[in-house]
Amino acid sequence: MWLFRKILKFYIEASIHVAISVACLTALTFEKFQIPLDIDLCIVAFLATISSYNFMKYATNAQSYFRVHGVYLKFIQGVSILCTIIMIVLMFFLSLRVLMVLALSSVFTAIYALPLLPGNKSFRSLHGLKIYMVGFCWALITVIIPVVDDHESLSLDVWIEFVQRFLVVVVLIIPFDIRDLKDDSLSLGTLPQQIGVNNAKRVGYAAMLLFLGFTFFKTDVLVKEVVVMSVVTLLTVLALYFAKEKQPEFYCGFWVESIPIIWFVAYLLLPAF
């Protein structure tokens, strides 16, 4: 049990679990819009998430990231560097259009983590910006890139899916912000800091109602789509409802971040009707 917990902790803290979630949402877009699956792109999304998330988590400044101390952090750094190298190799197999969108996402990641603002501050420190930047990047990578990869037009359905991904990611971040309420700097301006835990939850509930409601504005409203989106809405609302400052160790890092994976699996397994 001790070894299992250690492995699970590394799996979460090295951003492997969240990377699987991003890869699943990327594959979900291929499935939803009936685009041939590009496995290279899904792998790039997986590797890019590990690299960028570990950079954001462990690089309060560039120097600290490249001069980490301790075997554990060095191992995470090694995994991140390996993922970055493999990602760069695979990027040679992607189209220029995909690379341009990836570059845009990379720019957002860099300005989010690096101290580019006066006073040695990063955009991460700007009041209330974090949650929206993360939501935007997730939606960009998991919705726009797969569509662009197949040279499909950015139709109304694509933009609705983009907004839905943005909303669900923003709501899934709230349990993390509730957990970190005592540790986060007040300059971050997270929703629980600005309006309190209960009001932040209410905003999340409203956002998930919008998430579900947007489903009915799509061109073809399939019963399968409504069922799956209803399940995702229910799971996300429950995850938000039970979120508190003192959480079980893996509540957010594993269970909350498993919802995108469940979303993808449910969409694959549920027959079309």
Side-chain angles (χ1 to χ4, degrees):
M1 181 62 71
W2 174 83
L3 180 60
F4 174 76
R5 290 182 68 86
K6 283 288 186 182
I7 294 172
L8 182 59
K9 185 178 180 181
F10 174 80
Y11 167 75
I12 293 170
E13 292 185 349
S15 304
I16 298 171
H17 190 58
V18 68
I20 292 175
S21 294
V22 171
C24 283
L25 288 184
T26 305
L28 178 65
T29 300
F30 284 110
E31 184 70 22
K32 277 194 172 190
F33 292 97
Q34 299 180 339
I35 301 171
L37 179 65
D38 187 337
I39 192 65
D40 287 342
L41 182 55
C42 291
I43 295 173
V44 167
F46 171 79
L47 297 172
T49 304
I50 292 178
S51 301
S52 60
Y53 260 67
N54 288 344
F55 183 71
M56 287 188 290
K57 284 195 293 186
Y58 303 111
T60 51
N61 58 67
Q63 185 179 16
S64 70
Y65 185 67
F66 293 104
R67 296 182 182 179
V68 297
H69 300 286
V71 175
Y72 185 74
L73 286 180
K74 284 184 177 180
F75 193 43
I76 291 178
Q77 183 191 50
V79 169
S80 304
I81 292 172
L82 178 62
C83 287
T84 303
I85 293 171
I86 299 173
M87 179 186 68
I88 291 172
V89 172
L90 289 176
M91 284 171 65
F92 285 100
F93 298 94
L94 302 179
S95 68
L96 179 60
R97 296 175 70 183
V98 170
L99 291 176
M100 289 174 64
V101 183
L102 273 174
L104 178 61
S105 178
S106 299
V107 168
F108 273 96
T109 301
I111 65 175
Y112 176 78
L114 293 176
L116 302 176
L117 296 176
N120 203 36
K121 292 183 178 181
S122 67
F123 279 80
R124 176 187 173 92
S125 63
L126 292 184
H127 205 68
L129 187 62
K130 181 191 80 169
I131 192 171
Y132 307 111
M133 287 189 71
V134 174
F136 177 80
C137 286
W138 273 58
L140 194 68
I141 291 172
T142 67
V143 178
I144 302 300
I145 287 181
V147 175
V148 168
D149 181 56
D150 197 56
H151 301 280
E152 293 284 337
S153 61
L154 298 178
S155 64
L156 176 62
D157 283 0
V158 172
W159 287 115
I160 290 175
E161 190 72 26
F162 178 90
V163 172
Q164 287 179 307
R165 295 285 172 88
F166 173 82
L167 287 172
V168 75
V169 172
V170 165
V171 175
L172 288 174
I173 292 173
I174 296 175
F176 288 86
D177 288 340
I178 293 173
R179 180 197 66 185
D180 299 332
L181 197 54
K182 290 183 178 179
D183 300 320
D184 280 341
S185 168
L186 291 176
S187 63
L188 282 176
T190 64
L191 274 179
Q193 287 177 335
Q194 293 184 65
I195 61 177
V197 171
N198 290 332
N199 284 334
K201 288 184 177 184
R202 292 187 185 102
V203 169
Y205 301 148
M208 290 312 297
L209 285 177
L210 284 174
F211 166 84
L212 182 59
F214 272 120
T215 303
F216 299 96
F217 288 91
K218 292 182 178 179
T219 304
D220 297 313
V221 184
L222 303 176
V223 176
K224 172 181 177 176
E225 176 82 356
V226 175
V227 171
V228 173
M229 298 301 258
S230 297
V231 170
V232 173
T233 300
L234 177 61
L235 290 175
T236 306
V237 166
L238 287 174
L240 186 57
Y241 178 79
F242 289 106
K244 51 189 178 182
E245 290 184 56
K246 293 183 178 179
Q247 303 173 3
E249 184 178 4
F250 301 119
Y251 180 78
C252 281
F254 184 80
W255 294 112
V256 173
E257 285 186 345
S258 292
I259 290 176
I261 301 172
I262 296 170
W263 185 359
F264 174 61
V265 173
Y267 199 89
L268 283 183
L269 295 182
L270 197 67
F273 58 93

